[in-house]
Amino acid sequence: MNQYGIPEVFEADAHGIVKEVYQDIKYVLKVPIVNFLFRALANYPEFLVHAWQQVRPNMLSLNMESMANDLRFPLLNKSIPTYDLKKDYSSSTLSHINYVVATFQYVNPKLLLIASAWMESLAERPIVSQKVVKGIIQPGFFNMPPIEMIKVETAPLYVKQLLLEVAKEHASFDVASDYRALACYPRFFEMMWRDLKPYISSNEYTLLRSNLLNQAIKRVREEMPYPITLNSHQLEHIYEPAQIAGIMGIVSYFHRFLPGLIIEIEFIRRYLLGES
C-alpha cells in the first residue's frame, strides 16, 4: 500500500505552484508545517491557489486572529487524568512534545475558520459584505523547529495499530496531522490516547464540538473582513463533476472534523500540564 486514507501531497513532494503556496501558507499562518487540509487539496492545485488567495488577506487581519483565539481554549469540565511523563521522557523531549501540541492548538482554530468560510461559499452562501479591518498582523515564523509526522502506512506495527484505532474512534478514513506528529512519541501517545478515547464519546464532547462548529460559521459570516466568493460554477471551467465533488468532500470533511480536534488538543494540553 503506497498511501493510506486521503491522498495528500507532502511538503517534500510538492513542486511548482504547490510548493510556493505551501511556503506562503506556513508564512501567513505562522507555523512550521502545512496542515492536512491543504495537503489534501493540493491534489487540485488550481483550486488550492484560488481558495488560498481569497482567504489569505483575511488570515493577516486582527479580526481572524481574535476569532481564532476565541475558539482555541474550549471549556472542558472533564477531570483530566494525570501521568508522570518524566518517567519516560527527558525534559527536552517533553518540551518538544509541548511545542508540537502548542503549534496545533494555535493553528487548528484558524483552519476551522478557513474551512468554514470555504464551506459556506461553496454551498452558495458567499461571504460578500466587507467588515472593518481591526488591524493587520505581520506574517512569518522564526527559528521554529520542524515537526515530524509518522506516515500510517510505514509506521511500526504497534504505532500503526494505535493510529488506526484513532481513525476508527473518529469514524474517519484517515488520521489528523496532530496525531501523526504525537505518534513519534509512542509511550506518551499510548497513555494519552487511553485517557482521551472515552471522552470523545461523551455528551460534553459532542455538545462542545457542535458549539464550536456553529460559532465558527457565525463568526466568519459576521466578522470576516474580506469576501469569499468561491462556488462550484467557477470550478466547472476547470474540473470534471467528480473532481468538484472531491474538492467539496475534502472541505466538508475537515470542516466537520476540526472542531473535535480543537477539543482534543485542549485535552492533551491539559494532560501534559497535569491540569485536572
Side-chain angles (χ1 to χ4, degrees):
M1 181 170 60
N2 295 324
Q3 174 129 19
Y4 167 80
I6 300 173
E8 56 187 309
V9 179
F10 288 95
E11 289 187 64
D13 302 321
H15 57 84
I17 190 62
V18 170
K19 184 175 182 178
E20 292 178 17
V21 172
Y22 277 8
Q23 289 298 319
D24 193 51
I25 287 170
K26 293 193 294 184
Y27 185 62
V28 169
L29 298 185
K30 298 176 177 288
V31 288
I33 188 172
V34 176
N35 293 91
F36 198 0
L37 168 64
F38 306 113
R39 301 197 308 268
L41 288 173
N43 289 293
Y44 309 92
E46 296 89 350
F47 174 81
L48 177 62
V49 170
H50 182 52
W52 175 246
Q53 285 174 342
Q54 286 211 350
V55 82
R56 185 185 193 275
N58 286 291
M59 304 317 296
L60 290 173
S61 71
L62 283 177
N63 307 51
M64 301 302 287
E65 194 75 16
S66 176
M67 281 190 272
N69 191 57
D70 289 344
L71 299 173
R72 192 162 284 132
F73 299 98
L75 181 60
L76 278 59
N77 292 316
K78 163 75 176 178
S79 178
I80 309 298
T82 59
Y83 178 76
D84 185 8
L85 298 170
K86 294 179 181 178
K87 295 188 300 183
D88 298 305
Y89 295 106
S90 66
S91 58
S92 61
T93 300
L94 285 175
S95 177
H96 191 75
I97 294 174
N98 275 286
Y99 162 72
V100 170
V101 172
T103 299
F104 286 110
Q105 183 158 48
Y106 176 74
V107 77
N108 284 343
K110 293 188 175 185
L111 300 177
L112 176 57
L113 293 169
I114 290 171
S116 296
W118 286 346
M119 195 67 226
E120 285 293 287
S121 189
L122 288 170
E124 307 298 332
R125 296 186 294 269
I127 298 167
V128 294
S129 56
Q130 296 192 20
K131 311 299 187 301
V132 174
V133 178
K134 298 178 180 178
I136 301 297
I137 62 173
Q138 292 300 313
F141 55 93
F142 306 96
N143 301 319
M144 298 179 75
I147 292 178
E148 303 295 330
M149 291 188 301
I150 285 180
K151 293 184 180 181
V152 179
E153 61 271 25
T154 58
L157 180 59
Y158 171 64
V159 175
K160 183 176 182 178
Q161 289 173 337
L162 283 172
L163 289 168
L164 293 176
E165 186 178 321
V166 169
K168 182 179 179 181
E169 184 63 28
H170 289 101
S172 171
F173 38 82
D174 217 318
V175 184
S177 300
D178 314 44
Y179 287 108
R180 287 192 248 173
L182 293 173
C184 292
Y185 309 93
R187 180 59 177 165
F188 166 72
F189 187 58
E190 177 192 18
M191 300 305 295
M192 173 275 295
W193 177 245
R194 178 201 65 186
D195 292 322
L196 172 58
K197 181 181 177 181
Y199 182 64
I200 293 174
S201 59
S202 70
N203 291 334
E204 178 180 291
Y205 175 91
T206 301
L207 181 60
L208 281 174
R209 183 179 60 187
S210 177
N211 287 343
L212 276 174
L213 183 62
N214 292 334
Q215 185 180 352
I217 294 171
K218 184 175 185 292
R219 297 291 293 270
V220 296
R221 295 213 63 85
E222 294 181 355
E223 300 177 47
M224 193 171 233
Y226 301 110
I228 305 292
T229 57
L230 299 165
N231 62 68
S232 58
H233 304 299
Q234 296 169 354
L235 301 181
E236 290 171 357
H237 300 291
I238 307 172
Y239 296 111
E240 297 295 324
Q243 294 174 305
I244 295 173
I247 291 169
M248 297 184 72
I250 289 170
V251 176
S252 177
Y253 169 80
F254 284 98
H255 187 226
R256 289 180 284 106
F257 187 79
L258 282 161
L261 198 55
I262 292 171
I263 298 166
E264 291 158 41
I265 288 294
E266 171 62 3
F267 184 105
I268 296 169
R269 182 190 72 83
R270 292 174 57 179
Y271 185 86
L272 276 166
L273 293 176
E275 294 182 4
S276 60

